[in-house]
Amino acid sequence: MLRPLALFAILVPAAAMAQSPPPDPAAHQMTHEQMMMHMHHMAGSNSSNPIPAQPGQDAFAAIQEIVGLLEADPSTDWSKVDIDALRAHLVDMNNVILSADDKNENVEGGMRFTITGAGAVRDSIRRMVIAHAGAMDGADGWGLIASEIADGAMLIVRPPASEAAKLRGLGFFGLMTRGMHHQMHHLMIARGQNPHP
């Protein structure tokens, strides 16, 4: 008598489970908002459980930052926003910093930089160098004059005499990072504005 009862005890729950519908995987998925709230809650309630902060790629991070600023600003005119233009600018930055060739020579009162590359890199060089010279000429007493050449651009830089060593130390690539106008330019480009009128 015990054997049939034991078999009955095993088979009844198994049959009930077989008749119940399979779990809905979507029911266990969090929406993006729920996931973010959960992550913030975990970070706030347990500092030993930090959440990742890096998005994993610098151009992605720059675009993410700008999108966050645009979404937080109620005055954003979304009909003018152009994130593709910002991405194109970030491609130019990447091309110049990672793929351009530079040569420099001393000139009276400063240095001449000859920046070259082929194809898309050449075009990026022209856009970046001409724009940077326009934005930074005269800042802190530094004179910048840029012009296009066959394979890219030429940049002549004349700093105050007391900063000649600084110019040599910076070189072309350090020079391109001077001035905090880049971040504001990114926001202007994303808003569909011209940062270099």
Side-chain angles (χ1 to χ4, degrees):
M1 180 72 180
L2 289 175
R3 283 186 184 163
L5 283 174
L7 185 61
F8 180 77
I10 292 170
L11 291 177
V12 168
M17 285 178 67
Q19 291 178 358
S20 64
D24 179 9
H28 297 288
Q29 292 179 351
M30 290 185 185
T31 66
H32 178 71
E33 290 78 13
Q34 289 170 327
M35 185 175 12
M36 294 306 291
M37 286 175 56
H38 176 71
M39 289 171 64
H40 287 298
H41 172 73
M42 291 296 291
S45 64
N46 187 354
S47 59
S48 66
N49 261 345
I51 60 171
Q54 297 299 321
Q57 204 271 347
D58 54 353
F60 184 97
I63 292 172
Q64 183 181 57
E65 178 183 38
I66 295 299
V67 168
L69 291 172
L70 294 173
E71 288 185 327
D73 182 356
S75 70
T76 295
D77 183 349
W78 289 99
S79 69
K80 294 181 180 174
V81 167
D82 190 350
I83 297 300
D84 288 345
L86 173 57
R87 179 188 176 272
H89 175 70
L90 295 172
V91 168
D92 280 347
M93 293 180 74
N94 198 62
N95 284 344
V96 171
I97 294 298
L98 298 180
S99 300
D101 295 317
D102 76 307
K103 293 180 182 174
N104 60 71
E105 59 184 315
N106 292 324
V107 296
E108 185 178 350
M111 296 183 77
R112 177 188 295 121
F113 299 95
T114 304
I115 316 304
T116 58
V121 174
R122 177 201 59 224
D123 299 339
S124 293
I125 291 166
R126 289 175 176 168
R127 285 188 289 268
M128 290 289 296
V129 173
I130 301 294
H132 187 73
M136 293 300 293
D137 183 38
D140 300 323
W142 290 54
L144 283 76
I145 301 170
S147 58
E148 290 187 9
I149 59 174
D151 295 326
M154 182 180 296
L155 178 64
I156 298 173
V157 183
R158 291 187 171 92
S162 62
E163 297 192 276
K166 181 177 183 179
L167 173 59
R168 284 191 297 275
L170 287 170
F172 170 73
F173 296 106
L175 183 72
M176 289 297 290
T177 69
R178 289 192 76 233
M180 292 298 288
H181 62 276
H182 296 286
Q183 291 85 339
M184 201 59 209
H185 284 190
H186 294 173
L187 188 56
M188 292 176 71
I189 291 168
R191 288 188 185 280
Q193 301 167 351
N194 180 8
H196 307 112

